[in-house]
Structures are given as structure tokens and as C-alpha cells.
Amino acid sequence: MIILAIIALLLLAALGAPLYAIIGAVALLGFHLAGQEGVAVAVEFYRLADMPALIAIPLFTLAGYLLAESRAPQRLVRLTNALLGWLPGGLAVVAVLACAMFTAFTGATGVTIVALGAVLYPALLEQKYGERFSLGLLTSAGSLGLILVPSMPLILYGVVAQQFHTTPPVTIDDLFLAGVLPCALMVVMLSVYSIWHARRVGVVREKVSAAELRGALREAAWDLPLPFVILGGIYSGKLAASEAAAATALYVFIVTVLIRREIPWRKLPLVAREAMLLVGALLLILGFSLALTNWLIDAEVPEQLFTAIQTHIASRGAFLLILNVFLLVFGMLLEGFPAIILLVPLVLPVALRYGIDPVHLGILFLANLQLGIFLPPVGMNLFIASMRFGKPVLTLVRASAPFFLILLIAVLIITYWPGLSLALIR
């Protein structure tokens, strides 16, 4: 009976059944085998309402969708170009920074490639950066920002990790602080490579006039306070993550709908609907995942997994190396949200036994996922970039190779230098 149920679940997964249905079925089967009622799964959905940090997800999601539908991407590119365009390789540095910031706000790397690619790709070609470099830069930089405030994957990792009541505890505010320096490392490394490439191919420095800078500042006048609302509020301790999310959503709504009127009232329900469809799917998966997590803990699956791993991997360094490979593979196969929900309950308890700080684990976890998302052969961003730029996937794989190696070095630094993630919080 049990074997038939497992075979049926595997068959349904292979046929493309919804992820939440598979997770829910596994949780129900697990509780049934443990002799518990299926109501234990329903209880987890009730518990979602008692998680204060969870309210940040729909609010930041709505703010991100509103920004994506407005002209904020174009204003962001213009402003960063006016500030940094005079540097050698200035436009490429602008692309890295703009992608990182936009991905942090939207929480979706594919949206960044679609929204900013239309602006940055022709500009990079016009300045003679070369097609291969331009494609690789935008495909890889599109995943930056997943570890930068107010990234939704960071919030989701925090929500899942809090179920384990770790010591030290995992808070959303700590995760937001922990992602700053690792994200800065990735941005700096890509920027240095971009400057080197610009000098090698002889890209002419762009002349940015004072008038252009004033115009860009004036155009972005309503957008500039937004980072200070989020960063200043959270990092100063005056706003919790949920309060910062509410302030962000309200501010973006006022600017995009009421002041700039870039999103008409008749379109607002459609934008909100798309945002809440994502949130609803996420909460559905999360509720079933928490039930599955509780069953895993009750069945002592993490302890058994740790015992099995420890017989082959004794040192913490070797475990971290294997963990990186494991996360890269799953980051390639799964999108960020399902990967977090499915893998954190298995990985976190084992990592704690090896003495890994849970906040540091969250940063290296997401750093690997954002690298795997454009890892061939099936990284999702490769296909999104292929559709956006009209290029074959193999062309994008070759173009992204040097950027992948640079970010891989950054991920290894983040992995084996926990102080980089923990310097601002411990």
C-alpha cells in the first residue's frame, strides 16, 4: 500500500502535478503512517496567521509588481548612468547595480531581465561592449539582489528557518543585514571585470553632463526616498520588516498611481491580481511545506540524515563544499521559492550539527541558488534571456561562462568566510 502510494506520487510529479499537491500528499501520507490525524496539516495553515513576518511577503510583492509596471526601471538606469557613466566601463557597472537593486525590490530575476534588458542591451551594444559580453552580463546580473533587502527569498528563508527555533535565532532583520556585504562583494567583482573588459575592447567613456545629472535626479525625485524608507527604517531598528513592507507598498502606490499616474486606476486591479496570485501560490506551498517539516522533525529524518552524512563527511569544510554542489544543482532545477521551501527543512538541521550559523547558511543558500538559476543546461534565466534577446540558449551559455566563474568564486568566499555575512549582526 505504501509503495503504491509512493509510486503514485512519483508518477503524478512526473506528469506535472502542482508542487503544492505533491508536498501536501507527502505530508498527509507521513502523518498517516505516524498514526496521526490529517488535521495536523490544516493546523499549519492556521499557524501562518500567527507569523508577523509573513505579512511582508504580499506587501513587498505588490510594491515590486507596481514598480515593474511603472517607468521606474528606465529612471533607475538613467540615474545610475548619470552618476557612474563617466567611469571606464561605466555603463556595464550601471547594468550590474541596476539589476541588483531591481531584483531586490521585485524578488524575481526573470522580471529584471525582461524589464531592464530592453533598456540596457541596446545601450551596451551601442557603446561597443560586444554582443557576447552584453548578453552574459545581463543574464548573470539578473540574478543579483536575491540576498539584498527587501528580497522576498530572504524573507521566505527566515519564515521557514524560524520553525526550527535555532540558537542563535533567525530574524528577518538579521538576514537583511547579513546580505549587504556578500551582495556588495558580487557587485564589486562583476564591476571590476566589466571595467577590465571595457578597457580591453576600447570602450569610450561616456560624457555625462551636469544638465543630464540634474535631469536624472529631477526625474527620479520621487523614487529616491524609497531606499531610505526601507534601508533606513530596517537598519536603524525603527521599522520591523513587516512595517517597512507596509511603508514601501504605500509609498510605491502613492507615487506610481496617484502622483506619476503611470498605472491607471483601471489597470491597478489587474496588477494587484497578478501579485496576489503569486502570493497565494506561495502561501499554499508554504502551508503544506510547514506540515511536511513538522512530520520530518517528528520522524527524526534530519537526525538520520545527519548520521548518514557524518559517516562519509566528517569535516565542516567538506560538508560546505558538498552543500554548494547540492544547492547549485537544485538551484538549476527548481525556482528560488520552491527550492527554499523544499530544501531548507532538510539542510538547516544538518548544517546546525556542523556548527554553521543559520543566518550565514541563509546567505550562502540563496547565493548558490542565484548562481544555479543561470547554470546550464536548464537554469531558468537562460531561457528567459533567450526569449527576451532572441538568442539561442547555447549562445547565452557561452556568454555567461566568465560571469558564472566570477560569481562562483564570490560564492566560495561567502561560504568559507562567514564573517562577511555576520559582521553587521554578530
Side-chain angles (χ1 to χ4, degrees):
M1 181 67 179
I2 298 173
I3 296 176
L4 288 176
I6 294 173
I7 293 174
L9 287 174
L10 292 174
L11 184 59
L12 288 172
L15 293 174
L19 181 61
Y20 73 87
I22 300 298
I23 297 174
V26 172
L28 287 169
L29 179 61
F31 281 118
H32 174 72
L33 294 176
Q36 299 183 38
E37 298 291 336
V39 71
V41 176
V43 169
E44 295 305 318
F45 282 92
Y46 180 78
R47 285 183 58 228
L48 290 177
D50 293 330
M51 296 181 181
L54 204 62
I55 190 63
I57 293 179
L59 291 171
F60 276 134
T61 302
L62 178 60
Y65 270 73
L66 290 173
L67 286 172
E69 289 293 328
S70 70
R71 289 189 55 80
Q74 290 83 352
R75 291 192 295 272
L76 175 62
V77 171
R78 184 186 177 189
L79 178 60
T80 50
N81 192 49
L83 291 171
L84 301 172
W86 56 272
L87 288 169
L91 183 59
V93 176
V94 165
V96 173
L97 287 172
C99 287
M101 288 188 285
F102 198 71
T103 298
F105 276 100
T106 61
T109 61
V111 173
T112 298
I113 293 175
V114 172
L116 296 186
V119 181
L120 291 169
Y121 182 58
L124 287 167
L125 292 181
E126 185 179 349
Q127 289 200 13
K128 312 301 181 186
Y129 279 90
E131 180 183 84
R132 184 168 178 171
F133 174 87
S134 303
L135 290 171
L137 178 68
L138 295 175
T139 303
S140 57
S143 67
L144 295 178
L146 290 184
I147 56 175
L148 189 64
V149 57
S151 167
M152 283 189 297
L154 270 181
I155 299 172
L156 189 58
Y157 172 86
V159 169
V160 176
Q162 285 170 359
Q163 308 310 305
F164 292 89
H165 306 289
T166 60
T167 302
V170 178
T171 68
I172 306 300
D173 295 349
D174 282 351
L175 287 169
F176 282 166
L177 282 170
V180 173
L181 296 180
C183 185
L185 173 68
M186 292 183 167
V187 168
V188 168
M189 290 180 69
L190 285 185
S191 298
V192 169
Y193 175 71
S194 299
I195 292 172
W196 173 82
H197 174 82
R199 286 178 171 172
R200 185 173 67 87
V201 299
V203 173
V204 180
R205 296 192 192 189
E206 186 177 352
K207 294 181 180 179
V208 181
S209 65
E212 169 62 15
L213 178 57
R214 287 194 298 270
L217 287 170
R218 188 165 49 249
E219 185 182 42
W222 286 106
D223 302 307
L224 288 176
L226 185 57
F228 296 99
V229 171
I230 301 175
L231 300 178
I234 292 176
Y235 293 161
S236 67
K238 296 184 182 300
L239 294 177
S242 55
E243 294 168 336
T248 301
L250 179 61
Y251 185 85
V252 170
F253 168 77
I254 291 173
V255 171
T256 58
V257 178
L258 300 181
I259 297 176
R260 293 191 180 276
R261 298 182 181 180
E262 293 174 337
I263 300 177
W265 283 98
R266 66 179 181 276
K267 191 176 181 181
L268 185 60
L270 297 177
V271 177
R273 177 180 178 274
E274 291 298 318
M276 293 309 108
L277 280 174
L278 173 61
V279 172
L282 188 59
L283 293 180
L284 199 58
I285 297 173
L286 182 58
F288 283 124
S289 176
L290 293 180
L292 180 60
T293 298
N294 279 343
W295 173 73
L296 291 173
I297 294 173
D298 291 343
E300 299 183 346
V301 172
E303 286 78 4
Q304 297 172 27
L305 183 61
F306 171 72
T307 302
I309 292 175
Q310 196 178 34
T311 57
H312 302 286
I313 304 172
S315 72
R316 172 179 168 178
F319 170 75
L320 286 172
L321 183 61
I322 297 300
L323 179 60
N324 279 334
V325 175
F326 174 78
L327 292 176
L328 283 175
V329 171
F330 275 90
M332 174 181 63
L333 298 174
L334 293 172
E335 293 183 49
F337 295 146
I340 294 168
I341 292 170
L342 289 175
L343 299 181
V344 170
L346 291 174
V347 171
L348 179 59
V350 177
L352 291 174
R353 295 293 189 92
Y354 280 96
I356 298 170
D357 189 288
V359 174
H360 173 225
L361 177 68
I363 301 303
L364 74 89
F365 193 101
L366 293 176
N368 275 282
L369 291 184
Q370 76 177 29
L371 191 56
I373 209 167
F374 68 96
L375 178 66
V378 292
M380 181 181 65
N381 274 14
L382 292 173
F383 296 94
I384 293 175
S386 175
M387 290 185 292
R388 182 67 193 83
F389 303 122
K391 302 294 181 181
V393 171
L394 288 179
T395 299
L396 292 166
V397 170
R398 289 191 292 268
S400 301
F403 299 95
F404 175 82
L405 293 176
I406 291 169
L407 291 178
L408 179 61
I409 294 171
V411 167
L412 291 175
I413 293 173
I414 293 167
T415 299
Y416 290 102
W417 184 17
L420 186 67
S421 303
L422 304 177
L424 298 180
I425 61 172
R426 294 284 182 251

